[in-house]
Amino acid sequence: MLTLKDIAKEAGVSVMTVSNVINGKKSKVSKETIERVQKIIKDMHYTPNLNARSLAKHESRLIAVFVSTYVSAENVFKDPYVSDLFGEIESAIHENGYYTIIQTVDDRQHAINLLQNWQADGAIFISDQNIDDMKYYTEYCQCPLVFIDSMNTSGADYMTVEIDDKKGGYLATKYLIENGHKKIGFAGFLDQKDSVIKERYKGYVKAMQESGLKKFIKQIQTATGYEDGISWGAALARKEMDLTAVFATADLFALGLVEGARQGGLSVPQDLSVVGFDNLSLCRFVSPRLTTISQDISHKGRAAVELLLKAIKKEEITEKRIVCDLSLEEHETVRKI
């Protein structure tokens, strides 16, 4: 059976060098050596025995990525935010010599069973988890966990990566106010639990109240898919709500809103101004270009992986809660009145 020692001897390098090439730790090896080792691996038809390595080192080099089924009951990648975020996470995991498993989960025990069966070294949750969920997972999972977009209001020692959602809601609303709008609606799904949407709503309310517009606060309680946006765009075209602008808590909804308004005879931004949230890559291909709150999805995903790997390797972690910054991307969907 072919071994790393055989490959190292053929390439004229150490076994550690061969291991680094196989595990993707290419920063430690010269380009010429990588190419030579990879050619030998290919020519000799070597396949790493992951099970054996897992047993020997008590590690699987597997990282699980979980998405709750409420994000999308059919296909998680239909949500472009999930798709963009997972792409960044997977790239960072691969670059560090680990392997990724992604799975939708419908309850907490399902995720725990999967982690135990896979013997994963760690897991990242890329959909909102409440305090009870985070507590349960942390108590019953034997591996490190990172939660993205989850509100940790308990003060517990969970590893989280998030953005300043309240600031995002404030920036979006303030920008509309500065452009002369008063009748500004907030579009998003609000319930009783702490969530990123609730934080964005707090930012919206703060901006409205600071500007003396408390009486104009209006909430569009809605899911934030593209079809939901189309429906509400048509409703606004029928004058079901008296608004000149909408702050949408998701770009996908905002894009649907623009299309629904157009189908109903309204022009954006002449008749209706819209600000979205996320600055998704697909927004570059839509006209008019969407004004939106931009979060650095790449930084968020890579920060989560970096935090998790530090925990897996038992390295010192000075800050378990990472808050990424955001900014307003001004484009073509807001009119000054």
Side-chain angles (χ1 to χ4, degrees), residues 79-81 84 251-252 255 279-286:
D79 184 330
Y81 170 74
D84 283 359
D251 282 347
L252 203 58
L255 296 175
N279 195 25
L280 297 174
S281 56
L282 62 84
C283 291
R284 299 195 303 267
F285 309 111
V286 179

Side-chain angles (χ1 to χ4, degrees), residues 218-327:
K218 289 188 179 180
Q219 179 193 337
I220 299 173
Q221 176 77 347
T222 178
T224 52
Y226 183 74
E227 296 298 330
D228 303 300
I230 289 180
S231 296
W232 273 104
L236 293 178
R238 294 191 299 267
K239 306 299 182 184
E240 293 185 14
M241 292 184 76
D242 183 19
L243 300 175
T244 66
V246 174
F247 163 45
T249 55
D251 282 347
L252 203 58
F253 179 89
L255 296 175
L257 191 69
V258 172
E259 176 60 18
R262 184 195 67 79
Q263 292 177 7
L266 295 183
S267 175
V268 175
Q270 285 74 20
D271 302 315
L272 179 69
S273 292
V274 179
V275 177
F277 202 108
D278 285 332
N279 195 25
L280 297 174
S281 56
L282 62 84
C283 291
R284 299 195 303 267
F285 309 111
V286 179
S287 182
R289 284 284 301 275
L290 181 67
T291 295
T292 184
I293 298 299
S294 178
Q295 60 167 311
D296 191 338
I297 294 176
S298 175
H299 174 62
K300 179 187 278 188
R302 290 177 176 274
V305 174
E306 181 180 351
L307 186 60
L308 183 66
L309 291 180
K310 283 184 177 180
I312 290 173
K313 298 173 183 178
K314 295 181 171 55
E315 296 177 2
E316 181 182 2
I317 299 174
T318 56
E319 183 57 66
K320 290 189 175 183
R321 180 180 182 235
I322 298 174
V323 181
C324 305
D325 201 9
L326 34 68
S327 60

Side-chain angles (χ1 to χ4, degrees), residues 65-67 81-82 85-86 89 124-128 148-149:
V65 179
F66 290 120
V67 188
Y81 170 74
V82 172
L85 180 58
F86 174 70
I89 290 171
I124 297 174
F125 291 81
I126 63 175
S127 50
D128 183 17
I148 298 180
D149 293 336

Side-chain angles (χ1 to χ4, degrees), residues 112 115-116 120-121 137-145:
I112 290 171
L115 284 173
Q116 291 174 343
D121 292 341
Y137 286 130
T138 303
E139 286 181 354
Y140 290 97
C141 292
Q142 302 301 311
C143 62
L145 308 173

Side-chain angles (χ1 to χ4, degrees), residues 27-92:
S27 62
K28 301 181 179 181
V29 188
S30 70
K31 181 180 178 181
E32 294 77 12
T33 300
I34 291 171
E35 292 175 350
R36 185 166 71 255
V37 171
Q38 288 179 335
K39 184 177 186 303
I40 293 171
I41 289 172
K42 181 179 179 181
D43 292 344
M44 299 178 76
H45 306 289
Y46 173 75
T47 302
N49 188 330
L50 298 181
N51 288 333
R53 183 168 63 189
S54 174
L55 291 171
K57 294 187 175 183
H58 304 288
E59 63 179 23
S60 65
R61 301 198 74 81
L62 294 176
I63 292 177
V65 179
F66 290 120
V67 188
S68 297
T69 50
Y70 66 77
V71 173
S72 173
E74 299 176 356
N75 181 349
V76 294
F77 292 106
K78 285 185 178 181
D79 184 330
Y81 170 74
V82 172
S83 182
D84 283 359
L85 180 58
F86 174 70
E88 296 296 340
I89 290 171
E90 194 282 330
S91 293

